[in-house]
Amino acid sequence: MKIRSILAASAAFLVLTPISQIQAAPAKQSAAQLVPSQLPRNAVPTHYAITVTPDAAKLRYDGKVRIEFQLKSASKTITLNAADIEFRAVSVAKGRAAATPANASVNAAAQTATIDFGRTLTEGRYTLFIDYAGKILQQANGIFALDYKDPTGAEKRAIFTQFEAPDARRFVPSWDEPSYKATFDLKVNVPADQMAVSNMPVAARRDLGNGMAEVRFGTTPKMSTYLLFFGMGEFDRITKQVGPTEVGVVVGKGNGPKGQYALDASAKLVGYYNEYFDTPYPLPKLDNVAGPGQSQFFSAMENWGAIFTFERVLLNDPKITSARTRQGIFATDAHEIAHQWFGNLVTMAWWDDLWLNEGFASWMESKATAHFNPEWQSNLDRVNGREGAMGLDAYVTTHPVIQKISTVEQTSQAFDTITYQKGEAVITMLEAFAGEDIWRNGLRAYMKKHAYGNTRTDDLWTAVEAAGAKGLVKIAHDFTRQPGVPLISVDSAQCVNGMTQLALSQSEFSRDRKTAAATKPQRWNVPVIAQIVGNAPATTIVSGGAGNITLPGCGAVLVNAGQSGYYRVLYTPDMMAALKDAFPKLAPIDQLGLLNDSQSLVYGAYQPVRTALELVDAEPAAANQRVTEDNVATFAYLYGLYDKDAARQAKLAAMATQRFGPVLDRLGMKQNVSDSTLDANLRSALISTLGYMGDANVVAEASRLFNALDTDPEALDGPLRTTWLGVVARNADQAAWNKLRMLGQSAESQLVKSSMYRLLGASRDIALANQALALALTPEPGATLSAAMIGSVAGEHPDLAVDFALANRAAVETLVDVSSTSEFIPGLANGSSDPAMVAKLTTYAEAHLKPESRKPVEQTIVAIQTRITSQPRIRSEVNSWLHAK
């Protein structure tokens, strides 16, 4: 599952029954057999045969399921998962004997149903028959509806499912845990003029009369419940053949051409992964199904054979799609298709090891993207992803990559930056340690051994070490079983006879407990790659808190060369001065890593602000576009730091215009067909940031283009449309805001409508921000867009957005996914620096969240407190730097 944008919250959380643990197994048993469960271990399903009849208009559905299961020991009852399910009739049969009635007792809080047979059944194979009904939701959980307008303006409704993590139980009573793998038959009764899509191809379709049709799909491979999928609506499907696999993209009618880019990407990726994993994709087809609207929890989901992706991250619309969005389409495709192997074919045994799915899919996403699009330099994205992970991992409220999961809410919260970006960063480091060939051989052996089964993290480490990566397990355990960020200090560098001897020490980097972390740091075995700039690298393992390494050559020392390591590096002032002088000679990935390291060390008070800003000044005129983007973002941060000091903001804006204006002049303000993707992205970043700072030329051009829409509706069409409208939205007056709203109301597609309503929340004018908040509570934006509007307001006015959400909590919670219940309001508060926000969040959490659901609130509070403490120091030092400039 692709991680969400702004996190959301909903109704009160459900705490499941305490986790039980099966008895210790003999030593030769797989680690996957020793897995937690929230269900009794006395029964195991082998096959589900499901029939569903949705009533889209009434947001209800009828269901029947036949479950074949193995009763492992004599029992009068079995317990499975069910949520919002109405049980109408239940019976059980053994073999060909007649079914006998049973009774279902629902525990809504635990999301379970206990089936009482009325007598004790002996061990053996049985069949359970359940006649039931359920709800179709309007947020993306369980089985849900998405409303939209077709190209003619007609109101339409499509039905989809979203089951990860624990929502298959809203569709069918089931053993809804990843270790309970089974095969599935699905039959659906749908309107005859609509298409039905599931994991497998359609096996048969017949007319039922009365405008209805019965669609039966092929039997799935053995898989976890969360990977089951069903969708129905007025769809088009475009396809390509990749060997024996039919690859398809399913879109709303008329949107076929917009899905072609994703289809072409999918076809390439299936072939690439077939070869990389040395295990052919096992299903006969692989669809990517596009849905309108959006979710606060996810953007795409890897259902086996039927990926679901929201249109805004799948469709390529020449009217609005930017170069960066096209990169995102490819990356999302690469991520979800990687899951078809890592997650679907081989699945984590329990949610503690969710990172086995998400960290690896993120890593494969980057690898595949770099393979097919080397000009995008996507290895630099890994640096930015690592920075995002370290930003969370440096606080006391972080968690290990492998984390303890006990409740539904903790499962939903586990889809975070640590799971995705730290997971990817750790894998990148371990691959560099093992070597690409050994690493891949280990993955291939792991895939073959555990196909159609479940694993724990150590199953993977064992496979890679057995392939030749000796010592990998110890490093992997350190970085996945304990939280935090190592800090490698370069204590000394002595050059003797053309060789440099480095003395290294390892502490722990922290944003909120620097003294405590330095006094008693955690210890890691840290693989370090270092070099003298321009010379060959060397490697070592820093173990027990210290290490030494000898480097060929003398000169500026660079530690974490190539940026594969998950750690920060602290140099002496003299070493930093040498690196500043050598900065133009560094590879772009090392320039980016050094910039990010130095700025984070500044924020954590490990070095003075001027050290980082002098490094920014060292950027050469012909720097890599991604490095320039990073420095543009630094100026945007500094500008925001002085949101109550107009004079200093003006000085920073003038500096930014002086520095980056010539870069924008060189690129031009229009997209050209000859532009590289990196140039196109840099242009967009420059327009957005300079527009944010009020650059006169950029704001004037945005206004000119916006006014041109009055006579030419296509004046802004193209890859920079949303960029320019973003500048307009931020600087909007009432008339401009009204016009933006009108563009949203008259949008010819859900894709355009989605972008317009998000922009309505982006104004810096507080009166317009209040209007956007009020509009979000009306039906106008649509059920799935309103939360994004509130999130947009929070980008500029976090305190206003939080106050609004708290004052209208009941109404706001209907607009967000149940999976994001505890995260939405603290997510809105992320940008706040107001001490009063801490009390507001604490009061909210105590009143509305169970203790085990408060992690997002705790993370936001500690970040706000740290910001309040650090910002005066940072402003003071920036003031000195500005004065010197």
Side-chain angles (χ1 to χ4, degrees), residues 216-289:
R216 179 170 59 82
F217 299 96
T219 303
T220 72
K222 187 179 178 184
M223 68 183 194
S224 302
T225 49
Y226 78 88
L227 297 172
L228 185 64
F229 176 78
F230 163 61
M232 74 177 208
E234 297 183 12
F235 300 147
D236 287 334
R237 182 171 183 259
I238 57 176
T239 64
K240 272 192 170 184
Q241 198 69 28
V242 180
T245 307
E246 184 178 73
V247 178
V249 170
V250 178
V251 296
K253 277 194 174 295
N255 280 331
K258 297 175 186 176
Q260 190 64 47
Y261 181 82
L263 178 63
D264 293 342
S266 296
K268 293 178 184 177
L269 289 160
V270 169
Y272 175 76
Y273 290 142
N274 281 339
E275 189 279 330
Y276 186 88
F277 291 121
D278 194 30
T279 300
Y281 175 76
L283 278 65
K285 65 99 175 173
L286 174 58
D287 282 325
N288 201 329
V289 184

Side-chain angles (χ1 to χ4, degrees), residues 509-511 514 568-570 576 594-615 637-638 641 870-871 873-875 877-878:
F509 175 77
S510 175
R511 287 293 309 275
K514 179 183 175 185
R568 297 227 177 271
V569 183
L570 181 62
M576 279 302 298
L594 188 59
L595 285 166
N596 285 327
D597 245 2
S598 66
Q599 290 172 31
S600 292
L601 290 164
V602 160
Y603 303 148
Y606 288 85
Q607 62 185 25
V609 170
R610 73 171 186 278
T611 302
L613 295 181
E614 287 172 358
L615 205 58
Y637 165 78
L638 295 174
L641 195 63
S870 65
Q871 280 186 347
R873 170 185 58 83
I874 295 171
R875 286 194 192 97
E877 293 188 38
V878 172

Side-chain angles (χ1 to χ4, degrees), residues 263-596:
L263 178 63
D264 293 342
S266 296
K268 293 178 184 177
L269 289 160
V270 169
Y272 175 76
Y273 290 142
N274 281 339
E275 189 279 330
Y276 186 88
F277 291 121
D278 194 30
T279 300
Y281 175 76
L283 278 65
K285 65 99 175 173
L286 174 58
D287 282 325
N288 201 329
V289 184
Q294 64 183 76
S295 161
Q296 296 77 52
F297 182 57
F298 74 106
S299 56
M301 173 61 205
E302 66 267 18
N303 314 295
W304 212 357
I307 296 164
F308 174 83
T309 309
F310 284 101
E311 288 179 351
R312 67 189 186 92
V313 286
L314 182 70
L315 300 189
N316 178 29
D317 184 350
K319 187 179 182 71
I320 64 168
T321 301
S322 67
R324 197 182 304 277
T325 300
R326 276 193 298 277
Q327 283 183 283
I329 293 170
F330 193 98
T332 300
D333 245 8
H335 184 104
E336 304 307 331
I337 295 176
H339 271 309
Q340 307 302 300
W341 285 263
F342 236 108
N344 298 4
L345 181 63
V346 181
T347 311
M348 82 262 136
W350 180 248
W351 301 108
D352 290 14
D353 286 314
L354 175 66
W355 90 285
L356 270 178
N357 281 15
E358 301 301 346
F360 271 87
S362 298
W363 170 76
M364 281 304 305
E365 164 195 330
S366 297
K367 180 174 284 288
T369 300
H371 174 81
F372 286 108
N373 306 282
E375 71 280 6
W376 292 355
Q377 300 181 27
S378 55
N379 59 331
L380 302 185
D381 290 327
R382 281 184 165 166
V383 176
N384 291 334
R386 181 189 68 190
E387 290 305 307
M390 288 183 176
L392 184 61
D393 213 15
Y395 290 103
V396 71
T397 49
T398 187
H399 63 79
V401 169
I402 301 172
Q403 54 188 309
K404 182 177 176 59
I405 301 294
S406 303
T407 69
V408 167
E409 174 52 23
Q410 288 173 343
T411 303
S412 296
Q413 291 177 9
F415 291 86
D416 67 359
T417 303
I418 298 298
T419 294
Y420 285 76
Q421 276 72 46
K422 182 174 181 179
E424 177 182 7
V426 169
I427 293 163
T428 299
M429 180 173 66
L430 294 174
E431 182 193 27
F433 172 80
E436 287 190 26
D437 291 342
I438 288 174
W439 180 260
R440 184 175 62 177
N441 290 340
L443 291 189
R444 287 176 169 180
Y446 166 86
M447 197 69 60
K448 287 178 168 59
K449 180 177 180 180
H450 299 288
Y452 303 103
N454 297 88
T455 60
R456 305 306 298 265
T457 294
D458 270 5
D459 292 321
L460 178 62
W461 302 150
T462 300
V464 177
E465 188 158 288
K470 302 304 180 186
L472 179 135
V473 171
K474 191 174 183 65
I475 298 168
H477 283 172
D478 286 351
F479 281 89
T480 58
R481 292 183 174 182
Q482 66 183 5
V485 182
L487 176 65
I488 299 295
S489 295
V490 189
D491 298 325
S492 66
Q494 295 185 344
C495 181
V496 179
N497 298 325
M499 302 291 285
T500 299
Q501 182 75 27
L502 296 187
L504 307 175
S505 61
Q506 180 256 300
S507 182
E508 184 177 353
F509 175 77
S510 175
R511 287 293 309 275
D512 60 335
R513 49 188 177 86
K514 179 183 175 185
T515 301
T519 302
K520 192 175 181 180
Q522 296 183 97
R523 293 300 181 201
W524 291 263
N525 286 279
V526 185
V528 171
I529 302 174
Q531 67 179 154
I532 299 300
V533 175
N535 288 41
T539 63
T540 191
I541 301 291
V542 174
S543 182
N548 295 283
I549 185 171
T550 301
L551 306 178
C554 298
V557 173
L558 177 68
V559 175
N560 203 8
Q563 303 303 310
S564 63
Y566 187 82
Y567 52 85
R568 297 227 177 271
V569 183
L570 181 62
Y571 300 92
T572 66
D574 287 347
M575 292 177 190
M576 279 302 298
L579 278 171
K580 184 188 76 170
D581 292 340
F583 191 82
K585 301 176 185 176
L586 299 180
I589 194 169
D590 289 319
Q591 291 178 335
L592 197 59
L594 188 59
L595 285 166
N596 285 327

